[in-house]
């Protein structure tokens, strides 16, 4: 095991070392957890780790602070819960995002069939993934995926990320065509790690692409026809919070939220108001939880959230890797050598407008609404 190496995408069988211990990432099948699984994970997070759980942007979750000597016991417990793969390679390939709003057997069947197909030995990049967005409406168009199973105005399509159109397929042929596309990427990637990058470079995937996918908005916090969508600030889901939410089955989303298949009471630990400014704030664990970070992040992010204008986004990153939000934000604060760089309309590693800022200087600069230019 290479769990002493930093910087890759962790898994359950191949965890990653962080400043607070091992990170063990889980990919629940079909992006779902039963109430019993959720309650058991809350116990395991406390008994084998720090009790801190995080939601990822691909409907994954990870246990933080896992002690190395507790890892074998954790693996046995996860296997009993049906949350462990046969080996690390199979786990890495099983990178499937399933829409949380699907109740139909077809969607769950497609997700399960894709999981079975990905058990074959196929060398794909660590972040290469699939989306099954075939529920009652389209919601995963903006979520990270390389090969997409979607609905068009009539029927299903398989679409390569980066292409506007997809190929019409039957439900029985959809998985085969998705795997054909994955094998094509493996053979023609030419150093590219993501499908959209390869398409942008001029490569044309072998699809009879003629149909546009349905378009839809991401699931917002609040009550829905499928249950209550609960967002977690920064995706942080402490063990006690997970227990409180496990009143029914849970469906994980790529927006660091959980769809609870039941009504849930209000709580300061979660967000059900779609207008809450904290939904537009991203922050990694920061120092001391992450060994790459040189600054604390989340307390500052929460303190700045009320100053955001109605549409503005803020990203506070402990280092230039920008793990919590790899896309541009209106304002990004990046930690460097114990101070902050301020970046406008960019990512954590983009050229800064200002450097060497202390927290007091940030407050002085950003007091009041953050929209006016510096």
């Amino acid at each position: 095991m290479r769990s002493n190496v930093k910087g890759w995408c962790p898994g359950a069988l191949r965890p990653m070392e962080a400043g607070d211990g091992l990170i063990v990432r889980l990919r629940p099948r079909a992006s779902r957890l039963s109430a019993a699984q959720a309650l058991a994970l809350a116990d395991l997070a406390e008994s084998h780790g720090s009790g801190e759980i995080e939601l990822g942007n691909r409907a994954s979750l990870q246990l933080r602070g896992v002690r190395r000597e507790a890892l074998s016991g954790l693996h046995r417990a996860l296997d009993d819960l049906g949350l462990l793969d046969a080996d690390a390679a199979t786990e890495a390939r099983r990178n499937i995002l399933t829409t949380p709003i699907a109740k139909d057997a077809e969607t769950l069947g497609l997700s399960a069939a894709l999981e079975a197909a990905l058990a074959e030995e196929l060398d794909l990049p660590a972040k290469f993934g699939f989306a099954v967005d075939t529920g009652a409406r389209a919601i995963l168009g903006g979520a990270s995926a390389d090969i997409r199973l979607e609905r068009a105005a009539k029927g299903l399509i398989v679409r390569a990320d980066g292409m506007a159109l997809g190929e019409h397929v039957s439900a029985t042929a959809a998985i085969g065509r998705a795997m054909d596309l994955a094998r094509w990427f493996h053979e023609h990637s030419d150093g590219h790690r993501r499908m959209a990058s390869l398409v942008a470079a001029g490569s044309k995937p072998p699809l009879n692409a003629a149909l546009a996918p349905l378009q839809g908005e991401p699931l917002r916090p609040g009550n829905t026809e499928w249950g209550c969508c609960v967002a977690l600030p920064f995706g942080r889901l402490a063990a006690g919070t997970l227990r409180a939410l496990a009143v029914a089955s849970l469906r994980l989303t790529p927006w660091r939220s959980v769809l609870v298949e039941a009504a849930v009471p209000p709580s300061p630990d979660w967000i059900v108001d779609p207008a809450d400014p904290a939904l537009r704030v991203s922050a990694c664990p920061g120092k001391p939880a992450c060994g790459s970070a040189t600054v604390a992040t989340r307390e500052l992010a929460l303190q700045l959230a009320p100053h955001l204008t109605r549409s503005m986004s803020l990203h506070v990153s402990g280092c230039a890797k920008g793990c919590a939000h790899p896309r541009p934000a209106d304002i990004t604060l990046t930690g460097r050598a114990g101070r902050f760089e301020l970046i406008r309309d960019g990512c954590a590693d983009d050229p800064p407008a200002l450097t060497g800022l202390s927290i007091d200087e940030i407050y002085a600069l950003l007091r009041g609404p953050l929209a006016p230019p510096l």
Side-chain angles (χ1 to χ4, degrees):
M1 184 186 304
R2 296 171 55 200
S3 55
N4 60 329
V5 180
K6 301 178 182 180
W8 72 75
C9 293
L13 293 167
R14 192 168 176 247
M16 186 176 74
E17 190 85 50
D20 56 348
L22 296 176
I23 295 175
V24 174
R25 180 175 293 170
L26 307 176
R27 295 169 175 166
R29 286 167 172 81
S31 307
R32 285 154 167 77
L33 289 171
S34 69
Q37 285 176 318
L39 290 170
L41 283 177
D43 291 342
L44 291 172
E46 289 180 332
S47 61
H48 294 72
S50 65
E52 291 291 314
I53 306 167
E54 291 177 331
L55 300 176
N57 63 2
R58 289 191 173 187
S60 62
L61 57 81
Q62 55 193 31
L63 311 184
R64 293 197 68 99
V66 174
R67 301 181 303 279
R68 188 176 297 278
E69 64 274 14
L71 192 57
S72 60
L74 176 61
H75 283 162
R76 288 192 295 272
L78 292 174
D79 195 25
D80 290 343
L81 290 170
L83 294 172
L84 203 66
D85 289 279
D87 53 68
T90 301
E91 176 185 58
R93 287 193 298 272
R94 193 175 57 80
N95 196 0
I96 306 168
L97 173 59
T98 305
T99 176
I101 65 171
K103 291 184 177 180
D104 59 291
E106 183 177 73
T107 291
L108 297 181
L110 287 170
S111 183
L114 181 56
E115 177 182 323
L118 286 169
E120 75 170 68
E121 292 189 12
L122 180 62
D123 187 16
L124 294 170
K127 294 183 181 296
F128 194 95
F130 300 76
V132 181
D133 192 14
T134 55
R137 61 181 176 87
I139 63 172
L140 298 180
S144 177
D146 297 273
I147 297 174
R148 301 175 182 274
L149 303 181
E150 299 168 310
R151 294 202 187 278
K154 291 185 178 180
L156 300 175
I157 61 171
V158 172
R159 183 167 65 93
D161 196 43
M163 295 183 67
L165 305 178
E167 176 180 303
H168 178 262
V169 292
S170 66
T172 54
I175 302 306
R177 292 299 287 135
M179 293 303 296
D180 288 343
L181 192 54
R183 285 186 284 268
W184 174 86
F185 178 88
H186 169 66
E187 295 169 1
H188 297 84
S189 59
D190 192 29
H192 291 272
R193 309 294 291 173
R194 304 301 302 271
M195 181 69 80
S197 171
L198 182 59
V199 170
S203 292
K204 185 178 180 181
L207 291 175
N208 181 20
L211 297 178
L214 298 179
Q215 303 291 326
E217 295 296 319
L219 196 63
R220 304 280 285 170
N223 291 319
T224 75
E225 61 184 284
W226 304 279
C228 186
C229 183
V230 176
L232 288 304
F234 314 125
R236 181 181 176 272
L237 183 65
T241 306
L242 182 56
R243 287 194 189 94
L245 291 174
V247 294
S249 294
L250 307 180
R251 306 180 185 190
L252 308 185
T253 85
W255 309 291
R256 294 188 169 93
S257 59
V258 174
L259 183 62
V260 186
E261 295 182 15
V264 295
S267 170
D269 293 333
W270 55 71
I271 300 169
V272 293
D273 179 4
D276 194 313
L279 293 171
R280 289 178 276 115
V281 177
S282 301
C284 63
K287 185 181 179 181
C290 177
S292 299
T294 65
V295 293
T297 56
R298 289 180 170 172
E299 182 179 356
L300 174 63
L302 283 178
Q303 290 172 347
L304 292 175
H307 298 281
L308 294 174
T309 58
R310 194 167 189 83
S311 62
M312 183 163 288
S313 59
L314 170 69
H315 177 200
V316 182
S317 182
C319 72
K321 291 190 293 185
C323 299
H325 188 77
R327 297 172 296 281
D330 293 313
I331 293 179
T332 297
L333 299 171
T334 300
R336 188 178 297 277
R339 288 180 171 259
F340 288 90
E341 297 178 341
L342 188 147
I343 300 152
R344 282 195 171 272
D345 301 316
C347 299
D349 60 349
D350 283 338
L354 293 171
T355 62
L357 298 174
S358 68
I359 289 179
D360 289 341
E361 288 170 326
I362 290 170
Y363 283 128
L365 283 167
L366 306 182
R367 188 176 293 117
L370 295 176
L374 297 172

